[in-house]
Structures are given as structure tokens and as C-alpha cells.
Amino acid sequence: MTINVTNAKTTTAGESGTEVFIPLNKLKKSPRNARKTPHSGAIIEAYAASIAAKGILQNLVVEPELDGEGAETGFYFVSIGEGRRLAQLLRVARKQIKKTEPIRCVVDTVNDAHEISLDENITREDMHPADQFEAFRELHEERGWGAEEIAARFGITAHVVRQRLRLGAVSPKLMQVYRDGELSLDQLMAFAITDDHARQEQVFESLTYNREPYIIRRELTRTHVAANDRRAVFIGAEAYMEAGGAILRDLFTEDRGGFYEDAALLDRLVIEKLQGISETVRQAEGWKWTDVHIDYPHANGLRRTYPEPVDLSVEDEAAYATASDEFNRLTVEWDGAEELPTDVDQRFGKLEAEIERIDALRHAFDPDIVSRGGVFVVLSHDGAARIERGFIRAEDEQAGPEAETRPDGEDYAVNDDGEIIEDGSGSDEEAEDDGRPLSDLLIRDLTAHRTLGLRLALGEQPDIALVAVTHTLAAQTFYQGAEAHCLEIRPTSVYLAGHADGIEDTAAGKALADRHAEWAADMPRDLADLWGFIAPLDHASVMALFAHCASLTVNAVKQPWERKPRAHETADRLATAINLDMTAHWTPTVRTYLGRITKAHILDAVRDAASEEAAERLSDLKKQPMAEAAEQLLAGTGWLPAVLRTPEPAVFAERQDEEGADARSADVNELEPEAPEPDTTNAALADSSALAEGGEPFNIAAE
């Protein structure tokens, strides 16, 4: 029997167990409700959505409110169903229903309200998550409901629905393993990164005792390309998907944009886009050829040229002066302002762009080089197109002056008519008789004296010596096939890519290449003009060029067959002197380090960078998962292997020992005669404490 209670002051609710409809505004929270912790906002939202879609599926259980004399007040306490009452009040607030909405209830005046409230919350069992995941999938597949519609009917977010749909799409075989308790929810979520059941089962069968979620994800995405890969950044998700590619998304972790499934398609798109850029460059600039590569072809074997300084046109000079003046005026005017107005900020941007455009016109390739040379267009480490100009193939090299050999084996030159140009060799007496130039022997004698004079004078003029050394280094660094220097200094630069694959494509490698290109662009075209270029430079510029050329000769590579302890000690001192911080240029990853050392070394690194406990947690893992876990633990710690660490300056150690040394020597000084003052000149030339191989000390000086 169902009773509609409209005026509870005059109408009783009936006997216990009677089903009644009570206006919502006549229902109250029971003071005897066993649940003291309020319902969460999320569960109230879920109740409201469910009731809106399907109605109240379970009756509320109520008891009449009694006044002090035991008479019914017309209100009812909700013993069971307080969450549903709150959900209906939420719907009232949203004007979906009226506050007098009749609510189907069952009156219970027999059972204790507190006990049945407790019973309602205890005597229940949630369905297994696997059943929930599959039920959501069935709603999606059988009824055609999308994530948004399902979310609206159950009061949860669309993202949560997508997660459950993805979990419901996991292989039935693995779902049963999850039901049996042999897979955790985190592991199941890792398998859900792909909907390929065969691949999921294949990876599951290949797992050992270690089933960490990150290992499962790694195996399932091994043939994919991460969205932060330079190729993916260059192409972009939209262009890739328009070409038919699919992106795999992990709904349960931060995947930084997902994984591109078709690596071959991505490579093809990269090459096609680079080819388009290269053709634009070739047509706009007139190069003879262009070539595209994903990775820079370091072993191309081609001679490279650089742009040369050129004069700006009158119009460009005027435009540059105008832009610079306005830029400087605005800088002074708005100096100290915390925030620039939008129009001023935009004006600054336009002026900077104009100044940069005109500055770029100050250097240009010789038209002859452009007509014979070419361009490499490659993909940079940061996902941008990298354009490298000025390469000359062997067949495009210009023929130089012919050099022939005399029948007697000596070199001689040939003029345009094919006649031998005499070199003026012969005796002093022959030269005196026929008026020919001085003999080679005499010239050698005289120039030896001149060389001695140059050595003596140059040693007394350090500023000119710096220019001369810088000229010698620059001549051999930026020019090929010419002897334009008189200092017998031979810079040698080791090809680092032969020792570390991909090193020149790193950010540090690109920075060094850019610095070299900037200097090369300033070099005069004719090597004969190099001295005239360097000598007038201010001291800071000469030092900068000198430092760059010198830096290219550094070789601290350790070869297993080499025995150069002194050189490596010097490299350590150089690193200390320049305060080298390798954390800015190198990070320990599986590829660069952790995958190439023993498990013991991996654990030592983790122990050093993190903690003994962290190393202990990894100790039972196999080599590959141990290396991958260690990479995550070492990230951001600044840890470096010993071979990359910069030694502390010796002065620090000396200061630490200073007090003890002073104390130890105090008594000795009282007994021993005063030692003569040491010769600090030789001490400045070499570290006398360093030992050569075999225990011999370094030589202090040699003549």
C-alpha cells in the first residue's frame, strides 16, 4: 500500500513498512544516523546525476519526528538514504525539481534507526573493479553512449569514464589475471596504454618476476616515438594525424603528448618537410645543391666556407640608425618600468626584428661560392630545421696554381708560356757575377739572424705576442691549404664524434659550432688580410678569438692504449681553473651511461646520489630495469661519475691542513736553522710535487 503524505500534521504515515511519498521539504537528517563524516561532494554529484537519469532506485527509510509530547510533527528523519536526500536538495538548488518533490520512502518504526543506518553502511560489498570496467565498456559498445553521456548519467567526469573504458578494453585474459589478484590495478593501467590484445598478452608472457608498471609501458611503446622526440616536435601532432598516423595516449600517467605509433611515417614526413625547406633555400639563395638528413652528416668530407663581411647599402645603414635610435630612446624612456604597455612592448619587438634583419645583411657568401657550393638541411636537437651553408664538393673546387717537379727532384714553378721560373739558387759568387738575387744559403743565414731578433723582441712585447699567436691559430683554424703564419705552432683538434656517437648533435656541440660559425663569418676572405683583421681588434676581442682557437685544441680523451698521465693531470687542473660544471652538458641516462656499466656501479651511483635505502630497493632488479629505475632516481640530482667531476682547487685542501701544518712545524723551526728563500720563479713554471711515470719528478725548466 502506498500513501501520498501531503499534510503530515493531519495524516499519519501509516504502519511500519508502509511505502509513502513524502515531500522533500518534510525530510530531515536523522540525529541517529551512524555516518558522522559528511558525504563527499563527488558522491552527492554522482547521486544527483543517477537520480536525474534513472530516478531513485532505492527507497529512503524514514521514521516520524515526534515532539516533546510524543506526537508526530509532520516531518520525517531519514534513517537510510541521507546521500539521496542531499542529492535531491542539490537538484532543487539547480532548479531541476521543486522543494516539494514527492520522495518515495518506507516508514520504519520497529527497527532501531541507528542500527539500520549502521547496517546499511556495513552489510554491503562493492563490485570488483574489473566488473565495473567491463560494464562501462558494454554501455559504450552496446548502447553507443559516449564518455560524456555516460559521465552525465553517473555523475563522474568524462576523463574517468575514458579511463574505465580503456581499462575495460584490456585483453580478457589479462582482465581475468587481474580478477585473480595476480595483477595490480597499476599494472593493469600500464597494459591499457594500447588496445592491441595480442601485444598486451605478448608483453605479459615476456615479463619476469619484475612487473613494474614503467617496464610494462616501456615494452608496449618500444617501437613508438615519444611526443617530445625532435621528429615529433618538428612535424606536430596535427600534421602527423592528417597523414594517417595514430597517437597512443596514456590516460593514467603524464605522457607528455603520447606516443607516435608509426615511426616510419614520421621519418618520411620529416624528410619531406626538410626537402621543402631546402628547396626554398636553394631557390631563394641560388645554391648549386641542397641535401637533407635527419642527423647531421658529420663525416661528409667536404670543405666548408663561411659568409664574409660586406658593407650595408646606404638605405640599410639609414634604416639601422633610425631603428637603433628609436630603440635606445624607448629604452631610456621606459627604464625602470615594471610592465610595458602593450603598444610599447609590440614596438620594441618590431624594432628588435628590424635590427636583427639588417645585422644579418652584414655578412654574405661570395656569389662564386654560392654558385659552386651547397647546403645541408638537417633536424636540430630541439626539433627545428637547421640550415648549414657553404659546403664545397671536391668536383666543384677551383684548380689552384700548378706545381711541378724538376728532373733533379727539386720543385720549380712554370709560367703561362710553360717556361721554368728559376728560383735563384746558386753560390754567392755566381750571384755576384751575373747580378742575380742572393743565394739560398745566404738568405737562410740572414733570416736565421732575423728569426733570432724576432724571438728576442717578441718575448719583450706580450701584447704583440698575443696577436701573433692568435693569428697563427686562426690561420690554421679558419683557412686551409696555406702557410701564412711564421710561428711554429700547430693546433690539432681531435674529432670527438669518433669517440662519442652523436656528441656533435647535443646542445653543447651545437653551441660550439655556432660560436665557430660566428667567428668564421668575421674572418676576411683573403688569408693575407688576417693580420690586418686581428691587430686592430681591442684586447677583449683578441682574447676571445685566442680563447676560441685554443679551446678547439683541447684533448682530454682517455684512450686505453695511451699513457699520458701528465696530460690528464693538466686537464684536471684546466677544469678546476675554468670551474667546469659538467652537469650543464651531460646527464646520466640509460643510453649515455647507466646501460653501459655493471650493476654494482649502478648501485654505487644511486647510493651516492640518493641513499642506501634507494640502492637497496633496486638491488634485486635485473640490469635493464635497474638502469631505467636509476635514471629516474638520478634525474635532477646533479650526480656525475668520477671521471666527469671537476677537482676542487688545491688551495681548499691547503687551507684545511693549514692549522695542523703550522702546529707541526712550530717546534721544528726552533731546532732547525732557517732555510734559504725558495726560488719561486721555477715553482711557477711547474708543480714540483707532481711525479712522472717511474716516480721521477717533473722537470722544472729546460733550455
Side-chain angles (χ1 to χ4, degrees):
M1 177 179 179
T2 301
I3 300 174
N4 187 13
V5 180
T6 57
N7 187 348
K9 284 190 176 292
T10 58
T11 307
T12 60
E15 298 179 358
S16 180
T18 303
E19 184 180 281
V20 297
F21 282 89
I22 303 174
L24 177 61
N25 61 351
K26 296 296 184 181
L27 298 177
K28 293 182 177 181
K29 178 181 179 179
S30 173
R32 305 181 68 193
N33 193 314
R35 182 188 292 272
K36 302 304 180 184
T37 303
H39 291 79
S40 67
I43 195 64
I44 299 302
E45 287 280 359
Y47 282 147
S50 175
I51 293 171
K54 299 173 281 290
I56 296 181
L57 301 179
Q58 289 180 283
N59 295 334
L60 279 65
V61 178
V62 299
E63 63 173 345
E65 181 187 45
L66 304 178
D67 60 18
E69 298 178 357
E72 296 183 6
T73 65
F75 289 88
Y76 294 82
F77 290 126
V78 177
S79 304
I80 296 176
E82 174 63 12
R84 296 187 287 279
R85 184 185 75 87
L86 294 175
Q88 289 291 64
L89 290 176
L90 177 62
R91 296 182 67 210
V92 170
R94 292 175 175 173
K95 301 188 182 303
Q96 296 175 354
I97 58 174
K98 296 180 179 181
K99 63 180 180 180
T100 57
E101 177 80 8
I103 306 299
R104 188 171 63 245
C105 304
V106 172
V107 177
D108 190 336
T109 57
V110 175
N111 294 304
D112 179 73
H114 182 269
E115 181 182 351
I116 62 174
S117 172
L118 180 63
D119 198 311
E120 167 75 5
N121 287 283
I122 290 180
T123 312
R124 58 184 301 174
E125 182 179 6
D126 289 335
M127 66 188 305
H128 194 281
D131 299 334
Q132 182 186 148
F133 304 150
E134 291 182 340
F136 270 75
R137 178 176 55 81
E138 290 175 5
L139 291 176
H140 174 66
E141 294 178 353
E142 296 178 3
R143 303 194 183 186
W145 291 349
E148 287 73 15
E149 184 171 357
I150 296 175
R153 297 179 69 87
F154 288 90
I156 54 180
T157 66
H159 180 68
V160 170
V161 174
R162 293 188 188 96
Q163 288 181 323
R164 293 175 182 176
L165 291 175
R166 180 70 66 85
L167 289 167
V170 171
S171 162
K173 177 180 178 180
L174 299 187
M175 191 65 76
Q176 187 58 48
V177 174
Y178 170 57
R179 280 193 174 94
D180 295 339
E182 296 180 19
L183 276 181
S184 69
L185 179 58
D186 286 341
Q187 292 167 333
L188 189 71
M189 289 190 297
F191 278 109
I193 194 172
T194 178
D195 56 6
D196 186 340
H197 289 181
R199 179 65 178 151
Q200 290 172 349
E201 294 171 8
Q202 178 187 21
V203 169
F204 175 75
E205 295 296 338
S206 67
L207 292 175
T208 58
Y209 67 92
N210 183 15
R211 297 178 177 180
E212 290 292 332
Y214 78 89
I215 295 178
I216 297 171
R217 290 188 180 92
R218 182 201 66 197
E219 293 301 317
L220 289 170
T221 59
R222 184 177 292 277
T223 60
H224 300 348
V225 178
N228 58 1
D229 183 273
R230 56 183 177 141
R231 293 169 291 172
V233 172
F234 182 59
I235 295 301
E238 185 176 349
Y240 169 76
M241 290 188 291
E242 286 180 356
I247 298 179
L248 196 65
R249 295 304 308 267
D250 190 343
L251 297 180
F252 305 97
T253 63
E254 174 56 50
D255 62 9
R256 297 180 179 85
F259 301 87
Y260 289 52
E261 292 186 321
D262 196 336
L265 171 62
L266 189 59
D267 285 346
R268 178 172 64 81
L269 293 175
V270 170
I271 292 296
E272 290 175 354
K273 188 172 180 178
L274 290 176
Q275 286 174 338
I277 295 173
S278 70
E279 185 61 21
T280 300
V281 171
R282 190 187 66 80
Q283 292 182 1
E285 302 179 15
W287 294 95
K288 180 178 180 180
W289 56 267
T290 58
D291 197 7
V292 302
H293 300 270
I294 293 180
D295 298 314
Y296 183 82
H298 292 288
N300 57 73
L302 305 182
R303 180 172 70 89
R304 184 171 190 181
T305 62
Y306 292 91
E308 304 163 1
V310 296
D311 295 330
L312 292 177
S313 66
V314 176
E315 294 79 6
D316 287 333
E317 285 283 11
Y320 185 85
T322 301
S324 297
D325 290 344
E326 185 178 356
F327 185 88
N328 294 334
R329 180 182 61 78
L330 289 175
T331 300
V332 172
E333 181 180 346
W334 293 97
D335 184 33
E338 294 184 0
E339 187 174 354
L340 295 176
T342 302
D343 58 334
V344 175
D345 188 49
Q346 292 176 349
R347 185 56 183 163
F348 265 116
K350 291 180 180 179
L351 290 173
E352 288 175 351
E354 177 67 2
I355 292 172
E356 290 177 1
R357 181 191 70 81
I358 299 175
D359 270 335
L361 300 177
R362 298 182 185 277
H363 294 84
F365 282 95
D366 185 283
D368 176 63
I369 293 294
V370 174
S371 65
R372 294 186 290 117
V375 177
F376 286 119
V377 180
V378 299
L379 188 59
S380 184
H381 68 280
D382 58 358
R386 174 180 165 191
I387 302 173
E388 301 289 348
R389 302 171 172 86
F391 294 90
I392 308 296
R393 290 171 173 166
E395 61 269 23
D396 295 323
E397 293 283 6
Q398 287 182 336
E402 293 183 354
E404 300 186 19
T405 305
R406 291 178 182 269
D408 59 5
E410 294 189 10
D411 291 333
Y412 66 101
V414 180
N415 64 17
D416 293 339
D417 297 327
E419 299 173 344
I420 295 176
I421 302 175
E422 295 294 340
D423 60 3
S425 62
S427 66
D428 297 344
E429 184 177 351
E430 291 173 344
E432 184 179 340
D433 289 344
D434 56 17
R436 287 188 294 179
L438 299 178
S439 69
D440 290 344
L441 295 177
L442 179 57
I443 291 176
R444 185 179 66 180
D445 183 281
L446 296 175
T447 53
H449 285 278
R450 185 169 185 262
T451 299
L452 178 60
L454 286 170
R455 289 181 178 181
L456 182 62
L458 187 62
E460 297 170 351
Q461 301 183 55
D463 289 343
I464 302 302
L466 175 63
V467 172
V469 173
T470 303
H471 172 270
T472 299
L473 295 176
Q476 297 172 83
T477 299
F478 296 101
Y479 300 87
Q480 294 181 346
E483 295 287 339
H485 50 88
C486 63
L487 274 64
E488 292 293 341
I489 299 174
R490 301 287 178 181
T492 301
S493 185
V494 174
Y495 181 54
L496 296 179
H499 299 294
D501 185 41
I503 189 173
E504 293 181 340
D505 288 321
T506 62
K510 182 63 167 57
L512 180 59
D514 289 345
R515 189 177 73 191
H516 185 80
E518 289 172 2
W519 275 114
D522 290 336
M523 295 292 120
R525 179 179 181 183
D526 193 339
L527 178 57
D529 299 328
L530 181 60
W531 184 278
F533 167 74
I534 296 175
L537 293 176
D538 59 82
H539 181 73
S541 298
V542 174
M543 292 298 293
L545 177 57
F546 172 79
H548 173 69
C549 294
S551 71
L552 299 180
T553 70
V554 173
N555 181 12
V557 177
K558 289 187 176 182
Q559 298 276 34
W561 45 266
E562 285 182 333
R563 295 295 179 268
K564 301 191 300 183
R566 296 177 180 177
H568 297 311
E569 288 173 8
T570 302
D572 288 342
R573 292 170 183 166
L574 175 61
T576 299
I578 63 177
N579 196 24
L580 177 65
D581 180 11
M582 281 302 299
T583 59
H585 312 302
W586 186 89
T587 303
T589 65
V590 174
R591 184 184 66 82
T592 62
Y593 183 72
L594 297 167
R596 303 166 65 182
I597 58 176
T598 64
K599 292 175 62 175
H601 284 150
I602 295 176
L603 293 177
D604 285 343
V606 173
R607 193 175 293 114
D608 188 19
S611 65
E612 180 68 40
E613 293 74 13
E616 185 65 27
R617 289 197 300 269
L618 303 185
S619 59
D620 293 333
L621 299 180
K622 289 190 174 181
K623 170 70 177 294
Q624 185 65 20
M626 179 186 288
E628 293 173 350
E631 177 179 333
Q632 298 179 15
L633 289 171
L634 297 181
T637 64
W639 181 88
L640 294 171
V643 71
L644 293 182
R645 297 178 185 178
T646 297
E648 289 186 352
V651 67
F652 292 158
E654 292 173 2
R655 288 175 180 171
Q656 292 174 1
D657 295 336
E658 211 170 57
E659 293 183 2
D662 289 344
R664 288 191 299 270
S665 62
D667 295 335
V668 177
N669 289 337
E670 295 179 0
L671 300 175
E672 295 183 354
E674 185 175 344
E677 194 71 26
D679 182 357
T680 58
T681 303
N682 285 341
L685 296 176
D687 184 353
S688 60
S689 65
L691 297 179
E693 290 184 86
E696 294 297 327
F698 281 118
N699 294 327
I700 302 302
E703 181 62 24

